[in-house]
Amino acid sequence: MSSTPNVGEHVIVKRADFEQLLDALNARNYQIVGPTVQEKAIVYDEITSVNDLPIGWTDEQDKGRYRLKRRADEALFGYVISPQSWKKFLHPASLRLWQAEQTDDGFHITETAPTAPQYAFIGVRACELNAILIQDRVFMHDTYVDPNYQSRRTEAFIMAVNCGQAGNTCFCSSMNAGPKVSAGFDLALTEIIEPDRHEFVVEIGTELGAEVMGEVAYQTASQAVQEQAEQIVTEVASQMGRLLDTTDIKALMYRNFEHPEWENIGNRCLTCANCTMVCPTCFCTTVEDVTDLTGQQAERHRYWDSCFNMEFSYIHGGSVRSSNKARYRQWMTHKLATWVDQFGTLGCVGCGRCITWCPVGIDITEEVATIRKTDSALLTRLREK
Amino acid sequence: MITPNDPMIPQQYRIRQRQQDNADTFTLELEPTNGTVLQFAPGQFNMLYVFGVGEIPISISGNPATPSKLVHTTRSVGTVTNAMSTLKTGDVIGVRGPYGKSWPVMQSTGRDVVIVAGGIGLAPLRPAIYQLFAKREQFGKLVLLYGTRTQEDILYRQELEQWRARFDVDVYVTVDRATSDWRGNVGVVTNLIPRTPFYPPDTVAMVCGPEVMMRFTVQALQKRGVPTEQIYVSMERNMKCATGFCGHCQFGSTFICKDGPVFSYDQVESFIGMWEV
C-alpha cells in the first residue's frame, strides 16, 4: 500500500495491480459497471473482476456495421465504444415512477421510484463523459431537477479511459468532446501496452479518486511516461474516421429548415429510432399509466421515447411531425442548433453511434456536409452574382 | 420510499362541482384534499391525472384571485379526457402544477388590451379576463373577440352575455357556420379585427385558439399595426412531464411546458409558419 496521491497528479498502475482498483471500489460498496463481451458486442454491465473486461478484443464500426475482432495483444480497453452508453444507468430506459392504490377517499401513493444503486463506471470515454455533462444540464441544471437522475449521478464514481484508437465512425475531435478526457472524472486512465510492458497512466481527478488510488499499488509517473500517454491520445485525435465542420453550425441549421435534403433523408430514414436509443445525449421519455386487473392498484412508468415515433408529437387531430423528413429534421436540428439555445451546448459529442447503428447507414456528418455544400444562403449569394 | 419533492407525484383534489358547458366540453371545480391552495397566474396549466387512466395538460380557467377554487375546462377528445368527463362531484383526481409562463396582464397596464379566442381557446384566457376586470381602471380599451364553429360551441355563454352588458369592454362573438336563429356575426374571428376600436401601437394582444387561427389572427393584428412583440399566443404540443424532461413539447428551440405555453409572438415567429415543426 502506498500513500494517497494528490489531485492532478499522474501515477502508474501495473496491469497486474489493476484488480486492486476494482477491489478498492468494491470495498466502498459501489456496484461496479464496465465493458464486457456479450452477444458479440461490448456491453457495459456489472463486473466483479478484471477478467470480466474485454481482454484482447476490439471493435470495427462503419455505417450500419459493427463487429468484434481479436486483437494481437491483451489490452483491457482496446475497443472503441459500446453500442449502448452509460445513459442506461443514469437515465434508465424504463423506470417505475410511483405506485398508488385506490382508497374509499381517493387514492394514495404507496411507493415512489426505487432507490438507485451507487455505481462505479469503469472505462468511460471522453465523448461519453461529455455526454453525461450534457445530460447534467438537462436533468439537474435547468428549471426542474429530476430526482432519479440526480441521485444516480451525484453518487457515481467515474473511472474514465482515454482512447487508444479511433473508430471509423468517430468524430469527437470535431465536436470538441474528445478523444482526451479533460473534466468530470474521478480517475482517468491511459492504457500503455508494449511487448514487455502493460500499465496504466492514471490522472487523479478528485479527492475521492485520490483516496481510492491510495488503496492501490502505484508508482509516480515520470515526465517521459506522461508524455508517452499524451502522445497516444494525440495520435487518436488525428485518426478520426469522420469529420463534422461545426463552423456556424447553429445558424446553418436554422437557415436550412426548408432545405430539400430533408426530403432526401426522409426517403431513406426508416424512423426506427435506433439513433435516439444509442445516442448518449438523447433524453426524451414517455409516461405510461397502468392499473392491475382489479383497477385498485395504479402505476406510472417512464420509458425512453424517440422523436422518430409517430405518437411522439401527437396532439388532438393528429401528429405534428407525421413525415419522416420532419422527424429526422427535428432530431438533427435539435442536436446541432436548438440544443444550443436550450442548454448552451451542442447536443452531439461525435461518438458515431447513430452512424454505426443506422440500419440504412444515414451519416450525420455526411448530411451536414451536404447541407453545407448546398446552403440556402450560399445559393442565394451565387444567384445574386 | 416516498420522495415528497418528486415533480412527477400528483396531489389529490376533490371535484366540488361539475358543469357541462356544451356537447363535448365540461368544467370541473376542484379543491385540494389537504387544504393546500395552489396559487397560479393566468395562462398557466396543470397536469390532471385520472386514477389508472392517464395524465394530460389542461389550462387553468378559473379566477386567480380565488385560487381555492381550481377550475379547468376540458373537451372530451381522447382516452383521458373521456374518462375525466365521467367523473362526478366528490370524486378525486390528481393534480401537478401549476406550470408554464402566464399572460402578461400586469405588464399591460396603461395599454389597450385585445383578447382573441377561438373555440375552447377562451378557457386559458378567462383567468386573464378576470384579472383585467379586477383592475379595469388600470387599462385602456378592452376588446374581446371570440369565434367558434357554431353557436352551440360557444363557451361560458352566460358570462359572455354579462361581459357584453358592461360599458367598459367591447365583446364581439362570431360563428363560422350560422343557423337561421343566429343574429350575430358570421365568419372567422380574424374578420373582426379591422373594425374593432383599439390603438394598435399601444395595444397588447392575447391570442389563443387553433394554431392556424392564431397565425391568421396575428397577421391581421400586425396589419393593423400592433407590434409583434406585443402579441402573445398560447401554444399546444404533446406533453408528458411538464417539467422539460420528456422532450415531447419542443417547438423549435423552445419547450412549450417551461418556456411557454404563452409566448410573445417574436419568440415563436420563425417556426410557426413552417411545416411540421
Side-chain angles (χ1 to χ4, degrees), chain A residues 202-215:
Chain A
V202 184
E203 184 182 351
I204 316 292
T206 60
E207 289 295 341
L208 180 60
E211 274 174 41
V212 168
M213 190 48 69
E215 291 159 23

Side-chain angles (χ1 to χ4, degrees), chain A residues 90-195:
Chain A
L90 294 173
H91 179 48
S94 161
L95 187 67
R96 194 197 66 217
L97 295 175
W98 48 257
Q99 277 180 311
E101 64 183 13
Q102 203 154 30
T103 60
D104 297 338
D105 208 23
F107 61 88
H108 82 267
I109 306 284
T110 51
E111 282 285 326
T112 50
T115 316
Q118 192 188 9
Y119 289 118
F121 296 148
I122 310 299
V124 180
R125 303 295 190 184
C127 59
E128 299 178 316
L129 190 46
N130 276 297
I132 292 171
L133 299 177
I134 287 171
Q135 287 210 328
D136 286 354
R137 290 173 182 243
V138 177
F139 293 122
M140 304 202 303
H141 307 314
D142 207 71
T143 317
Y144 298 91
V145 172
D146 175 10
N148 302 300
Y149 182 88
Q150 187 183 38
S151 63
R152 286 168 172 75
R153 174 69 176 106
T154 50
E155 295 294 314
F157 184 94
I158 293 183
M159 190 189 291
V161 173
N162 284 309
C163 287
Q165 66 188 69
N168 197 23
T169 55
C170 288
F171 57 102
C172 65
S173 295
S174 297
M175 305 314 289
N176 231 343
K180 187 173 163 52
V181 173
S182 56
F185 57 88
D186 294 295
L187 298 172
L189 279 58
T190 306
E191 185 168 25
I192 296 180
I193 188 158
E194 288 169 358

Side-chain angles (χ1 to χ4, degrees), chain A residues 243-315:
Chain A
L243 292 171
L244 193 153
D245 179 2
T246 59
T247 316
D248 212 14
I249 187 92
K250 185 178 105 173
L252 178 77
M253 287 293 118
Y254 276 141
R255 71 173 171 259
N256 288 289
F257 232 70
E258 312 263 13
H259 196 286
E261 181 62 11
W262 300 119
E263 180 82 49
N264 181 8
I265 305 170
N267 290 339
R268 286 174 280 145
C269 176
L270 307 175
T271 67
C272 70
N274 263 14
C275 51
T276 54
M277 299 293 108
V278 295
C279 177
T281 67
C282 271
F283 57 82
C284 290
T285 51
T286 189
V287 163
E288 195 174 272
D289 288 292
V290 293
T291 58
D292 66 356
L293 285 173
T294 67
Q296 299 300 300
Q297 304 279 338
E299 296 188 346
R300 175 168 298 169
H301 295 259
R302 188 183 75 183
Y303 304 104
W304 285 356
D305 200 357
S306 170
C307 52
F308 285 93
N309 293 337
M310 182 70 111
E311 308 75 40
F312 187 84
S313 62
Y314 181 84
I315 49 177

